[in-house]
Amino acid sequence: MDRRYGRPVWWVLCALWLAVIIGHSLMPAQISQAESRGLLARLASGLPFLTDHLLRKAAHFSEFGLLGLLLAQCLRAGFAQPALAALLCALADETVQLYVPGRSGQVRDILIDFAGAALAVGLTLLVRRIRTGNLRTG
């Protein structure tokens, strides 16, 4: 098997995590808001600056961060392939939301999702280079 495309277990994990992300996007707005408000109520005492909006955006950033890590493991060729795959997933995620009651697709949300994935891909590649001793200095 070509090592540039990772092991099958990474593909399965990636597909499962993408299903979780899309599953969250398929939730109607009322259910999604109730879920985040419940979490916000639990976190409010320790993080008084946290708002519902900030919590939701941080959750998207984190979801796509994990997706970026998984994509970097699946597509081991460099930054471009996993980053492009993450961007396509973010576009698909926002498109799904266009058809869910009370939800909408936003360009800024695509950027937030992509930023989370791109950061994770970049960090994964950096750690991989450090581990293999391929980090150039100077």
Side-chain angles (χ1 to χ4, degrees), residues 40-107:
L40 181 62
R42 283 182 245 134
L43 297 174
S45 63
L47 303 168
F49 62 88
L50 195 58
T51 64
D52 183 58
H53 181 76
L54 185 58
L55 176 65
R56 293 169 74 79
K57 299 310 170 193
H60 273 266
F61 187 88
S62 301
E63 281 180 339
F64 274 84
L66 181 54
L67 182 66
L69 184 144
L70 293 170
L71 286 168
Q73 290 300 112
C74 291
L75 303 166
R76 299 178 67 90
F79 182 81
Q81 286 181 347
L84 178 60
L87 180 59
L88 293 174
C89 290
L91 286 166
D93 178 55
E94 291 303 309
T95 302
V96 163
Q97 290 183 36
L98 293 174
Y99 300 99
V100 177
R103 305 285 294 261
S104 65
Q106 303 290 324
V107 172

